[in-house]
Every structure is written in structure tokens, then in C-alpha cells.
Amino acid sequence: MNSALLLTDRLCDLTEMALQAYTKFEKATVFAATKAIHEEFRQAALPSHATEKLDGICHAILAAVEYEPPAGRTNPQCIVKARTEISALRELLRSQEAWMQKERLDGRSPVTLQ
């Protein structure tokens, strides 16, 4: 779970990079990094509601660098949407981590939430 929290920090870094990406190379770099982090998350077997949030975050970041349709949003609006969703995902991961720790302390085997 700590690695998933670290990846949310990297997504937040990418929102800053997306705001400052002006050249095609900079935008392509944000695109590639976003796709790579998205795949890392996919391998972490997150709950479905966390995966939905992740998909929205990545879409917003990619829209900010013009690799996805922006759905009527400007670049800064895409970044605000991504950062809002990142905060929600981070909170979701923290609460799931706390629940799993409690289950371990109670002597039960935590079940992955899907």
C-alpha cells in the first residue's frame, strides 16, 4: 500500500509537470510517465472504486497535455480535477491501509476489497 501512496505522490508531481509542459517533448514525457504509473497501479490490484479514480486522474492529466479530449476543460481545470481526485484516492488508500492493519492486529486475514 505504501508503494501505491508513493505513486499518488508521483501523480501529483505529474500534474505540476503538465502545467509547465509547453513543448511536444515535455507533453510526451508527461504522457509516457502517466501511462507507466497507471500500469504500476493496475498491477497493485486496487479495489474497483480506486481504479475508477485512477482512470479519471490519468485522463485529466493526459487531457492537460492534449493526449485526451479535455471535455470542455482548460489545462488548469484539468489539473484541478486531477489533484482533487488524487486527494480522494490518497484518502481511500490510507483508509484501506488502516483497515488492513486493524484486521492484522485483530488476528484476521484481511480480504482484498473489490
Side-chain angles (χ1 to χ4, degrees), residues 30-65:
V30 171
F31 169 81
T34 302
K35 288 292 194 176
I37 290 174
H38 189 268
E39 185 57 32
E40 288 286 325
F41 265 111
R42 288 282 185 188
Q43 294 175 8
L46 297 174
S48 60
H49 51 285
T51 302
E52 290 171 12
K53 288 202 177 302
L54 173 66
D55 291 344
I57 292 164
C58 291
H59 182 273
I61 293 171
L62 295 177
V65 292

Side-chain angles (χ1 to χ4, degrees), residues 2 95-107 110:
N2 286 333
S95 66
Q96 182 179 358
E97 182 177 30
W99 178 81
M100 289 173 70
Q101 285 178 350
K102 182 182 180 307
E103 290 293 305
R104 276 189 226 113
L105 290 174
D106 290 345

Side-chain angles (χ1 to χ4, degrees), residues 9-98:
D9 292 342
R10 298 298 70 87
L11 284 171
C12 199
D13 293 343
L14 283 172
T15 62
E16 186 62 34
M17 290 174 65
L19 271 176
Q20 298 175 14
Y22 297 106
T23 68
K24 289 180 182 180
F25 179 78
E26 291 167 336
K27 291 177 180 185
T29 301
V30 171
F31 169 81
T34 302
K35 288 292 194 176
I37 290 174
H38 189 268
E39 185 57 32
E40 288 286 325
F41 265 111
R42 288 282 185 188
Q43 294 175 8
L46 297 174
S48 60
H49 51 285
T51 302
E52 290 171 12
K53 288 202 177 302
L54 173 66
D55 291 344
I57 292 164
C58 291
H59 182 273
I61 293 171
L62 295 177
V65 292
E66 301 169 356
Y67 275 85
E68 289 283 349
R73 294 184 181 92
T74 64
N75 177 307
Q77 289 170 331
C78 290
I79 298 305
V80 167
K81 180 183 184 320
R83 287 180 177 170
T84 301
E85 291 294 316
I86 289 168
S87 293
L89 178 59
R90 188 178 286 130
E91 196 57 38
L92 178 67
L93 293 172
R94 284 186 182 138
S95 66
Q96 182 179 358
E97 182 177 30

